[in-house]
Amino acid sequence: MPKEPKGYWIAHVDVRDPERYKDYVATAKPAFEKFGARFLARGGEWEGLEGTGRGRNVVIEFPSLQAAHDCYNSPEYQAAKAIRNTVADADMILVEGAE
């Protein structure tokens, strides 16, 4: 039986209020724990090669694309998203990993 591919969130974020953004991070943590999230990149230095970049880049791995989707739509994450929307601008996608 083939193994199910992992799922990923890829987010590019401009944080307008770093102190309040900490509230988003704390509120999102239970959702990430519940759905098996593993942070591969979170902030850190980056270099723009093409297109428009944002100040913060995040890559989160989940056990499956379904888990990534379920985490995003969970009540726990939606509460965090409501905070994030007031303190940051973000572009975010879900992507299926290579098998």
Side-chain angles (χ1 to χ4, degrees):
M1 178 180 240
K3 187 175 178 182
E4 184 175 10
K6 294 186 179 191
Y8 297 86
W9 287 15
I10 301 174
H12 307 285
V13 184
D14 283 331
V15 177
R16 296 187 310 270
D17 183 342
E19 283 304 309
R20 186 90 167 97
Y21 192 79
K22 292 176 186 176
D23 294 335
Y24 157 73
V25 171
T27 303
K29 185 177 180 183
F32 294 141
E33 290 173 350
K34 180 178 179 179
F35 291 96
R38 186 170 78 109
F39 285 80
L40 302 180
R42 178 172 29 196
E45 292 195 36
W46 62 278
E47 178 181 347
L49 300 176
E50 295 184 29
T52 303
R54 291 191 180 264
R56 183 174 177 82
N57 299 284
V58 182
V59 179
I60 308 172
E61 180 181 78
F62 290 87
S64 67
L65 186 60
Q66 187 63 53
H69 190 270
D70 291 346
C71 183
Y72 182 81
N73 289 305
S74 70
E76 297 91 343
Y77 186 75
Q78 289 301 304
K81 178 185 168 196
I83 295 169
R84 190 196 73 223
N85 285 343
T86 67
V87 300
D89 299 309
D91 297 315
M92 193 158 90
I93 62 167
L94 301 180
V95 64
E96 184 178 67
E99 296 182 51

